Amino acid sequence: MNRRHELVRENTARSVVLPVAPTRGRLRPLGLDEVRITGGFWARRRHINATATLDHCRDWMERVGWIGNFRAAVEGRIHRDRRGREFADSDVYKLLEAMAWEAGHDAGTSLDAEIGALTDAIAPAQEPDGYLNTAFGRPGQQPRYSDLEWGHELYCYGHLIQAGVAQTRARGEGELAKIARRAADHVCATFGRGGIEGVCGHPQIETALVELARLTGEQRYLDQAALFVDRRGHRTLADTEFGRAYYQDDVTVRQAPVLRGHAVRALYLAAGAVDVAVETGDDALLAAVVRQWEATVARRTYLTGGMGSHHRDESFGDDFALPPDRAYAETCAGVASVMLSWRLLLATGEPRFADLAERTLFNVVAASPSEDGRAFFYANTLHRRRRGTVPPAEAESPRAESGLRAPWFAVSCCPTNVARTLAQLPAYLATADDHGVQVHQYADAEIATSLAGGHGVALRVRTDYPSGGNVTVRIGRSPDRPWTVSLRVPAWTASATAWLVDPDGIRRAVAPGTAEVTRLFRPGDEIRLELPVAPRWIGADPRIDAVRGTVAVQRGPLVYCAESVDLPGAHETDAIRVDPSTEPADGPDGTGVTVVVAGELAAHAGLRDDAVWPYEPLGPPVASSADGRTGIVLVPYHSWANRGPSTMRVWLPTTEPDQPAERSRPTEPDSTAPGT
Ligand code: FUB
Ligand code: ZN
């Protein structure tokens, strides 16, 4: 038995329900059978995901014909009847992946039947050599692999393979896994050495093939993934109006200094490169991706964690080109960013990767779905100037950009990506190593695993996070030897003190990074982490020209925004100017944050849509409190547009344009904030 098989067996002995299962790396992930989220912010969202979003996605894909495409392929009418974009198959697979992880939490679930029904629709469409795609290759369609630039065939396989891996890990190998395996074999036979020397215009197959290698112990899937990573950047894809950087085929992964081009593609590719680097022990490749992550986080990331500022090609902009009102920040890019950071965290153990994952989860991934889990943001702007119009309830929304969440889109990659992320979310909370357990994300949770030597440990996490900053970790089970509980101290705590209280009641200040307690724990022992979540102003690097003279508010990990529904009168958010000399404060009812406006709120009232020149002398303030200091309430960004059409902004203009950046930079050395 080779090393790979041994490692597969090792992982299997501990947990099988692992979304990402590297065989090497600093930290060992925990499976969905080892971590349960039991309450709070994420439990609510996960419940809605399981009880509403999964059905919603399936119903829409039946309605718009994306599931029917498989039937049409089998019945020989696909050239006439195919619906959706060339990558529509992938959303059926992403839904299947989400269902599989969800089924992994709940043994008695009816999801097995749902997975079975969808699999039955897909299976007959697979051709004898493993090829499976409803957009190509049949009479009346373009030939297979005739459009690697835009065709998404390998991208679709990637999602199929991920679904097959999820099903096997969550429920044991079933028909879906067999379909996925046949497709992967077909890919290796067709694109392996001596085959087509190409890559897919949309990376995604790389992570999937590595995960299949991890699952099966088959080296050839890893080799194929490594081949795809190394082939990219050699200009095998045709040039486009966006340049080859659009699909990362301009420069090799090893040479690229920063993530560029289409954001989702760039992030999926980087995640796949990390997977390959970890499995092959390629430290140079890992270091290259770490450098790209650093440059991207420092210069190409929104305060929310969102990535991508070009609508035209859904891509990253130049360094510091982060206009809030043109933020694309696609939900899928948020998902992909979390995937990348998670892999880097496992590989290196460095908490900065969990910091960015937290920022992105709370302010991009959580912002996308509506409260009922049946509508979604695709793009996540940081500034909405016009109130949105209500998207069609019965038809696909044509555009990604919207002021209100839409039930479905003509390109509907985001809803199923949110679904599969929330379904696997518990696995992102904690890890283990030979010495103990590391908690990276805070939620009410139960964690049970075994350390080296098979010593069982169990912890219970209780917290009001993110509205409060108290986290209590109670030991439930502990071996008769010392071990370590590590807690991430978020980078955003840098401007105030965080405290750790050990089981003896000794309280010490802890710096951003990791706080550890090592001892012979007894069941019932408690560790407390006190994180300072008071609201604070955030300034931006002045090179982000688009937000000069503005400030934002963050409270704990949550970015806040002003929404017109919270403003007095009929004012729009563009009328706001705030006074940064007064700190933001918690609102009286505990839901929002209050900031003081600079008295001009009403001076800008009645902005005219028919104005021909966008500048005018300021009128006098016409409405303010007696002392001229009106307070307005800000709400968490993730919750905006849940109360109907509104205007919204995260970055708030001030009276003193240069002050905020000067004020905040020395006190906010947040490793995941732009410009640090
Ligand atoms: O191309 C497939 C998906 O559709 C991409 O990841 C998204 O950006 C959207 O364009
Ligand atoms: Zn998307």
Side-chain angles (χ1 to χ4, degrees):
M1 185 179 287
N2 65 23
R3 174 74 182 138
R4 174 161 305 286
H5 279 94
E6 284 170 34
L7 290 163
V8 168
R9 205 177 51 182
E10 237 171 64
N11 269 332
T12 308
R14 286 170 170 156
S15 164
V16 284
V17 198
L18 287 161
V20 182
T23 56
R24 300 146 41 106
R26 169 69 190 80
L27 302 175
R28 177 171 68 80
L30 301 184
L32 299 176
D33 46 346
E34 293 177 304
V35 185
R36 272 191 332 117
I37 296 180
T38 53
F41 184 97
W42 290 117
R44 279 194 301 284
R45 279 155 184 81
R46 283 182 29 71
H47 176 72
I48 288 164
N49 189 50
T51 56
T53 303
L54 297 183
D55 285 352
H56 173 86
C57 292
R58 189 212 43 227
D59 292 350
W60 267 95
M61 285 196 279
E62 279 290 5
R63 183 189 308 179
V64 296
W66 300 359
I67 296 171
N69 283 341
F70 293 97
R71 298 182 196 114
V74 176
E75 290 160 17
R77 49 184 178 79
I78 189 69
H79 60 290
R80 195 181 60 232
D81 291 346
R82 190 173 185 284
R83 298 285 176 268
R85 291 288 300 267
E86 59 276 29
F87 41 81
D89 298 0
S90 69
D91 285 301
V92 181
Y93 304 148
K94 276 150 73 190
L95 174 63
L96 277 163
E97 183 190 343
M99 287 176 166
W101 294 131
E102 200 49 57
H105 297 283
D106 179 1
T109 178
S110 61
L111 283 170
D112 286 337
E114 304 267 358
I115 293 170
L118 283 174
T119 306
D120 287 347
I122 293 165
Q126 186 165 38
E127 300 191 31
D129 67 349
Y131 183 85
L132 176 53
N133 192 288
T134 66
F136 289 87
R138 291 190 169 76
Q141 294 185 312
Q142 275 183 251
R144 295 176 179 186
Y145 308 122
S146 57
D147 184 7
L148 287 178
E149 285 77 12
W150 302 102
H152 287 75
E153 285 154 290
L154 293 165
Y155 166 88
C156 289
Y157 288 137
H159 283 302
L160 171 65
I161 294 166
Q162 298 272 19
V165 169
Q167 189 200 33
T168 307
R169 291 203 174 129
R171 309 299 278 157
E173 193 184 27
E175 189 52 30
L176 179 62
K178 290 181 186 146
I179 296 170
R181 187 85 181 254
R182 283 196 290 270
D185 290 341
H186 162 81
V187 170
C188 293
T190 311
F191 287 86
R193 290 190 197 286
I196 301 173
E197 290 272 336
V199 294
C200 185
H202 199 313
Q204 148 63 16
I205 185 130
E206 296 81 359
T207 47
L209 284 172
V210 176
E211 217 49 58
L212 187 62
R214 289 166 171 163
L215 176 76
T216 60
E218 296 276 359
Q219 181 72 31
R220 65 203 154 104
Y221 301 132
L222 175 58
D223 292 345
Q224 186 64 48
L227 205 56
F228 281 139
V229 168
D230 277 332
R231 256 186 211 158
R232 197 168 290 269
H234 293 289
R235 300 166 172 249
T236 63
L237 297 171
D239 204 357
T240 76
E241 59 180 312
F242 309 131
R244 285 194 179 89
Y246 172 77
Y247 28 51
Q248 296 76 44
D249 199 30
D250 54 335
V251 176
T252 65
V253 176
R254 289 165 200 279
Q255 289 168 332
V258 66
L259 297 184
R260 74 248 174 262
H262 185 278
V264 184
R265 292 169 205 241
L267 288 154
Y268 280 166
L269 176 64
V274 174
D275 283 337
V276 167
V278 165
E279 295 305 321
T280 58
D282 189 338
D283 293 342
L285 181 59
L286 181 63
V289 180
V290 170
R291 278 198 306 275
Q292 290 160 26
W293 183 93
E294 286 167 347
T296 304
V297 172
R299 304 198 294 267
R300 298 187 173 190
T301 301
Y302 284 99
L303 180 64
T304 52
M307 294 188 184
S309 52
H310 285 186
H311 284 235
R312 195 178 68 120
D313 52 352
E314 307 185 299
S315 75
F316 286 99
D318 289 342
D319 287 354
F320 303 108
L322 293 165
D325 52 350
R326 297 302 293 155
Y328 197 66
E330 183 181 338
T331 300
C332 287
V335 166
S337 170
V338 172
M339 287 170 58
L340 173 59
S341 287
W342 177 245
R343 284 159 171 77
L344 290 171
L345 173 66
L346 294 177
T348 66
E350 295 172 20
R352 59 184 174 151
F353 299 116
D355 282 335
L356 184 68
E358 172 182 77
R359 183 179 290 279
T360 312
L361 284 167
F362 278 118
N363 300 298
V364 180
V365 176
S368 176
S370 59
E371 285 168 326
D372 69 358
R374 295 176 184 279
F376 305 84
F377 275 135
Y378 181 128
N380 294 279
T381 187
L382 278 73
H383 184 176
R384 178 77 196 177
R385 297 174 186 280
R386 284 175 299 109
R387 295 177 188 225
T389 48
V390 178
E394 300 300 321
E396 297 156 283
S397 274
R399 292 201 47 79
E401 183 186 12
S402 167
L404 288 171
R405 295 170 178 85
W408 203 250
F409 303 90
V411 172
S412 215
C413 44
C414 299
T416 51
N417 237 348
V418 169
R420 71 185 183 123
T421 304
L422 291 178
Q424 62 187 263
L425 192 72
Y428 291 132
L429 259 54
T431 55
D433 64 10
D434 285 351
H435 312 290
V437 171
Q438 305 79 38
V439 184
H440 305 285
Q441 308 295 347
Y442 297 117
D444 277 358
E446 311 274 351
I447 302 167
T449 187
S450 52
L451 304 180
H455 297 291
V457 295
L459 306 82
R460 197 184 73 186
V461 183
R462 288 287 174 273
T463 181
D464 49 357
Y465 203 77
S467 48
N470 291 327
V471 179
T472 303
V473 177
R474 186 183 172 88
I475 307 298
R477 190 164 159 221
S478 178
D480 204 15
R481 66 173 180 90
W483 57 288
T484 302
V485 175
S486 306
L487 303 176
R488 180 177 62 94
V489 182
W492 57 256
T493 62
S495 54
T497 308
W499 298 92
L500 185 83
V501 186
D502 73 14
D504 297 326
I506 296 169
R507 194 164 181 264
R508 63 179 158 101
V510 285
T514 303
E516 295 185 344
V517 179
T518 302
R519 60 194 286 147
L520 188 63
F521 288 105
R522 305 273 173 230
D525 278 353
E526 284 190 353
I527 304 168
R528 220 170 55 242
L529 185 64
E530 299 168 0
L531 301 171
V533 293
R536 59 207 186 277
W537 294 118
I538 303 290
D541 187 304
R543 285 169 292 182
I544 307 177
D545 310 69
V547 297
R548 278 202 195 190
T550 66
V551 286
V553 171
Q554 198 178 318
R555 184 181 182 284
L558 301 182
V559 172
Y560 276 64
C561 65
E563 214 184 335
S564 54
V565 285
D566 295 309
L567 298 184
H571 296 302
E572 301 296 350
T573 46
D574 285 340
I576 297 169
R577 291 174 74 189
V578 295
D579 177 0
S581 66
T582 305
E583 290 296 328
D586 280 330
D589 62 357
T591 54
V593 164
T594 304
V595 295
V596 168
V597 299
E600 284 89 349
L601 184 60
H604 293 272
L607 297 172
R608 290 171 44 183
D609 278 338
D610 60 349
V612 293
W613 178 239
Y615 310 104
E616 60 177 355
L618 294 176
V622 293
S624 59
S625 60
D627 63 355
R629 299 173 71 74
T630 305
I632 58 166
V633 173
L634 310 184
V635 295
Y637 172 76
H638 67 71
S639 70
W640 92 273
N642 272 327
R643 295 169 290 172
S646 65
T647 57
M648 177 279 296
R649 61 186 304 157
V650 166
W651 291 100
L652 310 170
T654 69
T655 47
E656 295 156 274
D658 290 326
Q659 191 184 15
E662 296 311 316
R663 273 165 52 95
S664 64
R665 250 178 296 129
T667 53
E668 184 73 16
D670 182 335
S671 69
T672 64
T676 55

